[in-house]
PDB file of all heavy atoms in Angstrom:
ATOM      1  N   ARG B1131     -46.389  19.603   0.038  1.00 54.00           N
ATOM      2  CA  ARG B1131     -46.888  20.984   0.027  1.00 54.00           C
ATOM      3  C   ARG B1131     -47.511  21.358   1.411  1.00 54.00           C
ATOM      4  O   ARG B1131     -48.147  20.616   2.026  1.00 54.00           O
ATOM      5  CB  ARG B1131     -47.875  21.117  -1.061  1.00 54.00           C
ATOM      6  CG  ARG B1131     -47.303  21.153  -2.469  1.00 54.00           C
ATOM      7  CD  ARG B1131     -48.062  22.141  -3.359  1.00 54.00           C
ATOM      8  NE  ARG B1131     -47.271  22.366  -4.640  1.00 54.00           N
ATOM      9  CZ  ARG B1131     -46.389  23.324  -4.676  1.00 54.00           C
ATOM     10  NH1 ARG B1131     -46.066  24.110  -3.665  1.00 54.00           N
ATOM     11  NH2 ARG B1131     -45.650  23.486  -5.801  1.00 54.00           N
ATOM     12  N   GLY B1132     -47.344  22.588   1.748  1.00 58.00           N
ATOM     13  CA  GLY B1132     -47.962  23.097   2.981  1.00 58.00           C
ATOM     14  C   GLY B1132     -47.097  22.744   4.237  1.00 58.00           C
ATOM     15  O   GLY B1132     -47.456  23.095   5.316  1.00 58.00           O
ATOM     16  N   GLY B1133     -46.092  21.899   4.024  1.00 62.00           N
ATOM     17  CA  GLY B1133     -45.241  21.588   5.184  1.00 62.00           C
ATOM     18  C   GLY B1133     -44.412  22.844   5.493  1.00 62.00           C
ATOM     19  O   GLY B1133     -44.412  23.767   4.768  1.00 62.00           O
ATOM     20  N   PRO B1134     -43.597  22.762   6.645  1.00 71.00           N
ATOM     21  CA  PRO B1134     -42.859  23.931   6.913  1.00 71.00           C
ATOM     22  C   PRO B1134     -41.735  24.137   5.929  1.00 71.00           C
ATOM     23  O   PRO B1134     -41.133  23.173   5.517  1.00 71.00           O
ATOM     24  CB  PRO B1134     -42.314  23.553   8.346  1.00 71.00           C
ATOM     25  CG  PRO B1134     -42.348  22.095   8.372  1.00 71.00           C
ATOM     26  CD  PRO B1134     -43.498  21.656   7.528  1.00 71.00           C
ATOM     27  N   ALA B1135     -41.500  25.423   5.542  1.00 85.00           N
ATOM     28  CA  ALA B1135     -40.502  25.684   4.577  1.00 85.00           C
ATOM     29  C   ALA B1135     -39.105  25.444   5.310  1.00 85.00           C
ATOM     30  O   ALA B1135     -39.062  25.575   6.462  1.00 85.00           O
ATOM     31  CB  ALA B1135     -40.545  27.115   4.095  1.00 85.00           C
ATOM     32  N   ARG B1136     -38.106  25.097   4.491  1.00 92.00           N
ATOM     33  CA  ARG B1136     -36.822  24.911   5.098  1.00 92.00           C
ATOM     34  C   ARG B1136     -36.046  26.191   4.997  1.00 92.00           C
ATOM     35  O   ARG B1136     -35.966  26.805   3.954  1.00 92.00           O
ATOM     36  CB  ARG B1136     -36.094  23.752   4.276  1.00 92.00           C
ATOM     37  CG  ARG B1136     -34.730  23.387   4.789  1.00 92.00           C
ATOM     38  CD  ARG B1136     -34.169  22.322   3.990  1.00 92.00           C
ATOM     39  NE  ARG B1136     -32.767  22.062   4.371  1.00 92.00           N
ATOM     40  CZ  ARG B1136     -31.885  21.371   3.609  1.00 92.00           C
ATOM     41  NH1 ARG B1136     -32.334  20.860   2.469  1.00 92.00           N
ATOM     42  NH2 ARG B1136     -30.680  21.148   3.963  1.00 92.00           N
ATOM     43  N   THR B1137     -35.512  26.705   6.134  1.00 96.00           N
ATOM     44  CA  THR B1137     -34.784  27.894   6.134  1.00 96.00           C
ATOM     45  C   THR B1137     -33.368  27.637   6.535  1.00 96.00           C
ATOM     46  O   THR B1137     -33.081  26.863   7.493  1.00 96.00           O
ATOM     47  CB  THR B1137     -35.346  28.967   7.141  1.00 96.00           C
ATOM     48  OG1 THR B1137     -35.471  28.347   8.345  1.00 96.00           O
ATOM     49  CG2 THR B1137     -36.815  29.340   6.689  1.00 96.00           C
ATOM     50  N   LEU B1138     -32.464  28.293   5.851  1.00 97.00           N
ATOM     51  CA  LEU B1138     -31.033  28.083   6.095  1.00 97.00           C
ATOM     52  C   LEU B1138     -30.363  29.451   6.277  1.00 97.00           C
ATOM     53  O   LEU B1138     -30.686  30.366   5.512  1.00 97.00           O
ATOM     54  CB  LEU B1138     -30.334  27.253   5.006  1.00 97.00           C
ATOM     55  CG  LEU B1138     -30.921  25.927   4.747  1.00 97.00           C
ATOM     56  CD1 LEU B1138     -31.763  25.957   3.460  1.00 97.00           C
ATOM     57  CD2 LEU B1138     -29.863  24.826   4.575  1.00 97.00           C
ATOM     58  N   THR B1139     -29.424  29.494   7.182  1.00 98.00           N
ATOM     59  CA  THR B1139     -28.629  30.722   7.419  1.00 98.00           C
ATOM     60  C   THR B1139     -27.155  30.480   7.216  1.00 98.00           C
ATOM     61  O   THR B1139     -26.688  29.471   7.857  1.00 98.00           O
ATOM     62  CB  THR B1139     -28.957  31.284   8.879  1.00 98.00           C
ATOM     63  OG1 THR B1139     -30.334  31.316   9.005  1.00 98.00           O
ATOM     64  CG2 THR B1139     -28.284  32.602   9.038  1.00 98.00           C
ATOM     65  N   PHE B1140     -26.522  31.230   6.422  1.00 98.00           N
ATOM     66  CA  PHE B1140     -25.083  31.126   6.202  1.00 98.00           C
ATOM     67  C   PHE B1140     -24.438  32.473   6.641  1.00 98.00           C
ATOM     68  O   PHE B1140     -24.974  33.502   6.423  1.00 98.00           O
ATOM     69  CB  PHE B1140     -24.774  30.949   4.689  1.00 98.00           C
ATOM     70  CG  PHE B1140     -25.450  29.770   4.100  1.00 98.00           C
ATOM     71  CD1 PHE B1140     -26.686  29.898   3.486  1.00 98.00           C
ATOM     72  CD2 PHE B1140     -24.841  28.534   4.028  1.00 98.00           C
ATOM     73  CE1 PHE B1140     -27.309  28.863   2.900  1.00 98.00           C
ATOM     74  CE2 PHE B1140     -25.461  27.422   3.452  1.00 98.00           C
ATOM     75  CZ  PHE B1140     -26.732  27.574   2.872  1.00 98.00           C
ATOM     76  N   THR B1141     -23.301  32.281   7.356  1.00 98.00           N
ATOM     77  CA  THR B1141     -22.712  33.606   7.864  1.00 98.00           C
ATOM     78  C   THR B1141     -21.153  33.522   7.532  1.00 98.00           C
ATOM     79  O   THR B1141     -20.555  32.496   7.568  1.00 98.00           O
ATOM     80  CB  THR B1141     -22.851  33.767   9.312  1.00 98.00           C
ATOM     81  OG1 THR B1141     -22.308  32.593  10.018  1.00 98.00           O
ATOM     82  CG2 THR B1141     -24.273  33.939   9.697  1.00 98.00           C
ATOM     83  N   CYS B1142     -20.643  34.710   7.254  1.00 95.00           N
ATOM     84  CA  CYS B1142     -19.227  34.956   7.366  1.00 95.00           C
ATOM     85  C   CYS B1142     -19.095  36.315   8.019  1.00 95.00           C
ATOM     86  O   CYS B1142     -20.044  37.060   8.066  1.00 95.00           O
ATOM     87  CB  CYS B1142     -18.497  34.832   6.010  1.00 95.00           C
ATOM     88  SG  CYS B1142     -19.092  35.882   4.704  1.00 95.00           S
ATOM     89  N   PRO B1143     -17.910  36.725   8.534  1.00 94.00           N
ATOM     90  CA  PRO B1143     -17.830  37.933   9.252  1.00 94.00           C
ATOM     91  C   PRO B1143     -18.454  39.189   8.550  1.00 94.00           C
ATOM     92  O   PRO B1143     -18.068  39.471   7.394  1.00 94.00           O
ATOM     93  CB  PRO B1143     -16.319  38.185   9.453  1.00 94.00           C
ATOM     94  CG  PRO B1143     -15.793  36.746   9.402  1.00 94.00           C
ATOM     95  CD  PRO B1143     -16.652  36.059   8.445  1.00 94.00           C
ATOM     96  N   GLY B1144     -19.465  39.691   9.165  1.00 92.00           N
ATOM     97  CA  GLY B1144     -20.078  40.895   8.641  1.00 92.00           C
ATOM     98  C   GLY B1144     -21.226  40.657   7.623  1.00 92.00           C
ATOM     99  O   GLY B1144     -21.793  41.609   7.196  1.00 92.00           O
ATOM    100  N   VAL B1145     -21.398  39.388   7.248  1.00 96.00           N
ATOM    101  CA  VAL B1145     -22.355  39.181   6.180  1.00 96.00           C
ATOM    102  C   VAL B1145     -23.238  37.935   6.542  1.00 96.00           C
ATOM    103  O   VAL B1145     -22.732  36.948   7.058  1.00 96.00           O
ATOM    104  CB  VAL B1145     -21.742  38.886   4.815  1.00 96.00           C
ATOM    105  CG1 VAL B1145     -22.820  38.623   3.710  1.00 96.00           C
ATOM    106  CG2 VAL B1145     -20.876  40.032   4.363  1.00 96.00           C
TER     107      VAL B1145
END
Side-chain angles (χ1 to χ4, degrees):
Chain B
R1131 282 218 170 274
R1136 182 178 174 195
T1137 55
L1138 303 103
T1139 307
F1140 304 89
T1141 57
C1142 56
V1145 180

